[in-house]
Amino acid sequence: MAFQKIVGGAFLLGGSTLTTVLGLSQIIDYRAKKVRLSYVEASDVLNRKYPENELPPRETQLFTLQTTKEFDVLIVGGGATGCGCALDAVTRGLKTALIEREDFSSGTSSKSTKLIHGGVRYLQKAFINLDYEQYKLVKEALRERANMLQIAPHIAKELPIMLPLYKWWQLPYFWAGIKIYDFMAGSLCLKHSYFLTKSRAVELFPMLKKEKLIGALVYYDGQHDDARMNLAIALTAARYGAAMANYVEAVKLLKSTDPETNKQYICGAECKDVQTGELFEVKAKCVINATGPFTDTLRQMDNIGVKKICEPSAGVHVVLPGYYSPEAMGLLDPTTSDGRVIFFLPWEGMVIAGTTDRPTELTAKPIPHEEEINFILNEIRNYLSPDVEVRRGDVLAAWSGIRPLVSDPNSKDTQSISRNHVVTVTDSGLVTIAGGKWTTYRVMAEDAIDAAIKTCNLTAKHPCKTIGLLLDGTHDWSPTLHIRLVQYYGLSTEVARHLAHAYGDRAFEVAKLAKVTGRKCPLVGKRLVADFPYIEAEVIYAMKEYACTAIDILARRTRLSYLNVQAAEDALPRIVEIMAAELNWSEKRIKDELKAAQEFLYYEMGYKVRSDQLRNTEINLSPSDVDRYKKRFQMFDDDNKGFITIVDVQRVLESIGYQVDEKTLHEMLTEVDINKNGQVELIEFLQLMSAIQKGSVSGSRLAILMKTAEENLCRQNPIPVSRSGGGL
């Protein structure tokens, strides 16, 4: 019970001690805020290398990497921390380069809980253990939370989070805990927490379990689209002049020997363009290792015998339909069955739930496992009304992210490992920034660049300028920007809101690329899939934002694969078609892209565990249900083959006046075709219906289509009175 322990620890400190520590921190906060404001003023006069509407293409960035004689810093890793380092360095006047072996934010930075927060659970260590370092971590994160909401208001927002209370003793404990959280934020507190009566709590969160509910507490944290935030940092650095290139891998660290000391020091990296296989060298006075979970991989490239400092921990999240939660209220479960914290948050029209926390092997392609998904669903059931059936089949997507936690030799499990970041420097001059959390990416970058300047004797023209430095898309953004998009371009309101949220003032550039729909409303903006606001113009614009593959667009330029894996699969062919036309892809490249994206969806986005639900379902139907479903099946299998094909489905649909294209029918049957033999057998159909009844599968298009067809056929051929058992 995180809050119980927090408050218990707080009381142990004693009232006077706590007041003194927190009071002093408010004074420090006030002085720090004055310094931050001066930094904001200074950042406004920084000159961008590229004009407002110009972003250097990837080819130009690669050319700069290959031809520049020497950079001041070369950053390896394009996640939040790496891109933060690039932005910090380039705005200090350092000649900056960054390489990322996959896409920007392709690793941990796109697989978070989407929160910008101080970390209520870290208060436990701060007060129970009288741990001042943990206290500073929370304070630091709360300051950075406010900064992120300021520098990218189109991507980040405030989010109220409800803490339901089911026992009377929880009220004073939890109330004290969140009030301490508010107080630690000082003048940067987003909004003050408050208490809700039972009736008011249920009114705001109708899905909440009412039995034994006493009331609820509500506190505020921040929420963002993590991949878009990461990309905004990268694009901002690029506009200021940093050479930023994704799909470039560091395959070897270059070293030179100091003639005076005979000591070797790192002077750059041998790099490989992953897209072409071309090798080239990038020289730099300092190399910064910001590779997240792969921190030790690069450190061992420098020194094979170096001791590991990172402990990988896997966290799984699931996405559920939006009706599971109110649109503007999250939920926190602070007392899960294994002592962790589960968040249940509205996000992009859906609901995200997580996360788990377990030690894991290091891999670039982590996969969500069924037991972790079920753990999250079971915890959710404890807080939702019995009227809300939490079904396994409602999981629309699932993913696993690997946290780069700094290991503690005295720790027994990853839950006890600190989120504090560390900066280390090897004898050869490799600067490593490791640990930390998404919210503190900026201060981590600041510490890393400070270390680089000191270690490698770099000359910076400015001090750190990133506090208050507005990110790409923010300068001319306003909360009503979407209205102008609707009025100027004829976009639907939903699409306009999405573009304003994702791109900020850059949304106008996307809107200019949008094509006419051919309908009266909306006039402009062809969607990739019907139920989501992503439009085809975003695919074209994404390539200007350094998207190189279909996965980049499915997962990070849009968030479709994270919201609904089946919708992502539906959009995939059109995305590849647009990219192929723009980039002149060969037929082989088109096939490779389709295959790679399908494997990504299948393994990394939870499609496999979703499909396994059907494959592993035992038929557990009543005799009457078996008879009913057999009759439905036989309406399609009129020649009693024992299986149905696309031809059978087309025949029935034509008889009732329905039209479904052959490609869609093939996709429907493939979803159910467990044996992958191009047909759906009776046993597979009964497995499907059993899985639907059980709740492990939902939204099967074939099942819905067959039921609809059966109902239409019955209306066309009503049962005669003589066979109905009589009549008046």
Side-chain angles (χ1 to χ4, degrees):
M1 298 180 185
F3 277 109
Q4 182 180 357
K5 294 178 180 177
I6 290 168
V7 180
F11 291 157
L12 287 175
L13 282 172
S16 60
T17 304
L18 180 61
T19 302
T20 301
V21 172
L22 294 180
L24 287 173
S25 74
Q26 302 310 306
I27 297 172
I28 296 170
D29 260 353
Y30 173 73
R31 292 179 177 175
K33 186 176 181 181
K34 292 182 68 176
V35 174
R36 281 197 298 277
L37 290 173
S38 67
Y39 278 4
V40 173
E41 292 171 2
S43 70
D44 288 338
V45 301
L46 286 172
N47 294 319
R48 295 188 176 204
K49 180 177 180 180
Y50 295 97
E52 182 68 18
N53 292 321
E54 183 180 335
L55 187 70
R58 183 172 181 272
E59 292 74 19
T60 300
Q61 300 284 41
L62 286 172
F63 181 78
T64 303
L65 284 173
Q66 295 169 357
T67 59
T68 299
K69 183 177 179 180
E70 186 180 49
F71 290 95
D72 289 320
V73 293
L74 168 63
I75 299 144
V76 182
T81 303
C83 291
C85 287
L87 181 58
D88 189 300
V90 74
T91 52
R92 294 198 201 196
L94 298 174
K95 191 178 292 185
T96 305
L98 180 145
I99 57 173
E100 161 59 48
R101 70 176 177 183
E102 294 189 37
D103 187 25
F104 301 117
S105 193
S106 58
T108 306
S109 295
S110 62
K111 298 175 180 178
S112 72
T113 311
K114 323 304 178 192
L115 282 177
I116 307 171
H117 62 138
V120 289
R121 61 174 171 162
Y122 304 133
L123 286 174
Q124 174 184 348
K125 295 177 182 177
F127 289 104
I128 289 291
N129 302 326
L130 303 182
D131 188 338
Y132 186 61
E133 289 301 314
Q134 289 295 319
Y135 170 79
K136 287 198 300 182
L137 171 64
V138 177
K139 287 284 294 180
E140 181 178 78
L142 289 171
R143 288 195 298 268
E144 295 302 317
R145 179 187 69 178
N147 185 65
M148 289 181 71
L149 289 167
Q150 176 191 2
I151 64 176
H154 59 296
I155 301 175
K157 63 179 182 180
E158 298 173 354
L159 178 69
I161 300 175
M162 182 180 290
L163 196 69
L165 308 171
Y166 288 94
K167 296 179 181 179
W168 281 108
W169 62 261
Q170 292 178 328
L171 177 56
Y173 277 117
F174 288 12
W175 181 87
I178 62 172
K179 284 303 177 183
I180 292 172
Y181 193 63
D182 288 348
F183 194 62
M184 288 180 69
S187 60
L188 301 178
C189 180
L190 303 182
K191 289 181 181 178
H192 290 291
S193 56
Y194 56 90
F195 172 76
L196 293 173
T197 63
K198 175 180 178 178
S199 60
R200 183 62 175 154
V202 172
E203 180 183 346
L204 293 176
F205 207 116
M207 309 82 177
L208 200 62
K209 185 174 71 174
K210 304 176 185 65
E211 184 183 359
K212 297 182 180 180
L213 181 67
I214 294 167
L217 294 165
V218 175
Y219 74 99
Y220 286 80
D221 257 326
Q223 187 181 51
H224 68 154
D225 179 339
D226 49 7
R228 287 302 312 182
M229 182 71 80
N230 195 154
L231 187 62
I233 299 167
L235 297 178
T236 306
R239 291 187 193 278
Y240 276 111
M244 312 281 289
N246 53 351
Y247 293 99
V248 174
E249 181 181 7
V251 295
K252 180 183 178 182
L253 292 176
L254 304 176
K255 294 185 178 182
S256 296
T257 303
D258 188 325
E260 296 182 3
T261 63
N262 205 32
K263 178 182 176 182
Q264 282 195 328
Y265 63 93
I266 294 174
C267 61
E270 183 178 351
C271 303
K272 181 175 76 172
D273 184 339
V274 176
Q275 297 281 300
T276 64
E278 179 185 2
L279 294 172
F280 57 92
E281 292 185 350
V282 177
K283 294 294 184 69
K285 297 173 183 175
C286 182
V287 174
I288 298 177
N289 175 11
T291 53
F294 296 91
T295 290
D296 290 321
T297 302
L298 197 68
R299 293 176 74 244
Q300 289 175 339
M301 194 182 292
D302 172 36
N303 178 3
I304 191 64
V306 71
K307 182 180 178 181
K308 292 184 177 182
I309 63 171
C310 270
E311 188 73 30
S313 170
V316 169
H317 294 83
V318 302
V319 168
L320 298 164
Y323 55 71
Y324 270 88
S325 170
E327 291 184 4
M329 180 71 75
L331 187 75
L332 169 65
D333 174 5
T335 55
T336 62
S337 56
D338 64 351
R340 297 187 178 104
V341 169
I342 290 286
F343 286 99
F344 188 68
L345 310 169
W347 183 68
E348 302 293 333
M350 299 297 176
V351 175
I352 181 173
T355 177
T356 58
D357 188 359
R358 64 174 179 83
T360 186
E361 295 295 323
L362 188 60
T363 174
K365 301 181 185 300
I367 298 172
H369 296 288
E370 185 61 28
E371 59 269 23
E372 295 169 309
I373 294 173
N374 284 323
F375 167 80
I376 294 171
L377 296 180
N378 287 333
E379 295 300 329
I380 292 171
R381 291 186 183 102
N382 294 332
Y383 281 87
L384 296 188
S385 168
D387 296 337
V388 181
E389 182 184 358
V390 181
R391 304 182 300 178
R392 174 60 181 83
D394 284 343
V395 176
L396 302 175
W399 68 86
S400 177
I402 299 181
R403 302 182 184 93
L405 306 183
V406 181
S407 60
D408 179 350
N410 299 317
S411 170
K412 295 182 179 179
D413 58 74
T414 59
Q415 295 177 68
S416 301
I417 294 174
S418 171
R419 286 290 183 96
N420 281 12
H421 65 272
V422 297
V423 178
T424 66
V425 182
T426 64
D427 292 340
S428 57
L430 177 65
V431 177
T432 293
I433 175 69
K437 50 189 287 188
W438 224 120
T439 309
T440 59
Y441 84 91
R442 192 211 61 81
V443 74
M444 293 169 64
E446 180 180 354
D447 290 349
I449 300 304
D450 285 346
I453 291 172
K454 180 179 179 181
T455 300
C456 302
N457 297 316
L458 305 179
T459 302
K461 297 178 182 178
H462 310 287
C464 177
K465 296 285 187 180
T466 54
I467 298 177
L469 182 66
L470 301 183
L471 297 185
D472 197 62
T474 302
H475 295 79
D476 294 322
W477 176 85
S478 73
T480 58
L481 184 143
H482 69 281
I483 298 175
R484 293 159 60 196
L485 291 171
V486 174
Q487 293 174 338
Y488 294 175
Y489 297 98
L491 295 165
S492 72
T493 302
E494 184 186 12
V495 169
R497 286 184 185 277
H498 153 65
L499 294 181
H501 162 59
Y503 302 93
D505 58 29
R506 304 286 176 194
F508 292 100
E509 298 176 33
V510 183
K512 290 175 184 176
L513 300 172
K515 294 183 179 180
V516 176
T517 63
R519 299 187 310 220
K520 291 183 179 179
C521 185
L523 295 173
V524 173
K526 286 187 176 180
R527 299 196 184 202
L528 290 169
V529 283
D531 294 335
F532 292 87
Y534 303 114
I535 60 176
E536 292 183 357
E538 292 181 77
V539 180
I540 298 173
Y541 190 75
M543 288 178 273
K544 298 181 179 182
E545 293 183 324
Y546 307 131
C548 298
T549 71
I551 296 174
D552 296 344
I553 293 173
L554 284 173
R556 292 172 287 276
R557 302 312 182 279
T558 73
R559 305 312 306 274
L560 199 50
S561 66
Y562 283 81
L563 295 171
N564 189 316
V565 70
Q566 283 192 323
E569 186 180 45
D570 291 344
L572 175 59
R574 180 58 180 151
I575 289 172
V576 171
E577 182 182 0
I578 295 171
M579 295 188 77
E582 290 289 321
L583 302 175
N584 297 315
W585 282 349
S586 65
E587 286 298 319
K588 181 181 182 304
R589 176 65 187 268
I590 291 172
K591 291 179 181 178
D592 289 345
E593 284 291 325
L594 288 169
K595 181 181 178 182
Q598 287 164 349
E599 289 180 352
F600 167 76
L601 296 174
Y602 188 71
Y603 291 105
E604 296 183 57
M605 289 290 108
Y607 210 128
K608 181 180 185 300
V609 287
R610 184 182 175 96
S611 301
D612 288 346
Q613 290 300 303
L614 179 57
R615 184 177 296 106
N616 298 331
T617 297
E618 296 182 1
I619 299 174
N620 188 22
L621 301 169
S622 67
S624 60
D625 283 339
V626 171
D627 289 341
R628 178 158 56 97
Y629 295 137
K630 278 185 177 180
K631 288 177 182 177
R632 185 179 299 174
F633 187 84
Q634 287 163 0
M635 296 178 77
F636 291 79
D637 180 24
D638 65 342
D639 51 358
N640 295 316
K641 303 183 300 296
F643 61 86
I644 59 174
T645 64
I646 291 177
V647 175
D648 296 315
V649 179
Q650 283 176 325
R651 173 183 51 77
V652 174
L653 294 180
E654 288 173 4
S655 70
I656 60 175
Y658 274 37
Q659 289 186 341
V660 180
D661 64 87
E662 186 173 339
K663 177 176 175 291
T664 302
L665 285 177
H666 176 73
E667 292 172 354
M668 289 181 181
L669 266 68
T670 300
E671 292 170 5
V672 184
D673 180 14
I674 300 172
N675 300 327
K676 303 302 177 188
N677 56 3
Q679 59 197 30
V680 175
E681 299 164 4
L682 175 60
I683 191 72
E684 292 174 324
F685 179 68
L686 292 177
Q687 275 186 284
L688 171 64
M689 301 315 296
S690 185
I692 290 173
Q693 279 197 8
K694 183 182 176 183
S696 57
V697 169
S698 65
S700 169
R701 294 182 290 176
L702 181 64
I704 294 170
L705 187 67
M706 291 177 71
K707 180 182 179 183
T708 304
E710 180 187 43
E711 291 171 349
N712 277 269
L713 286 170
C714 289
R715 282 196 294 269
Q716 289 180 8
N717 303 293
I719 300 173
V721 172
S722 60
R723 292 178 52 205
S724 68
L728 294 177

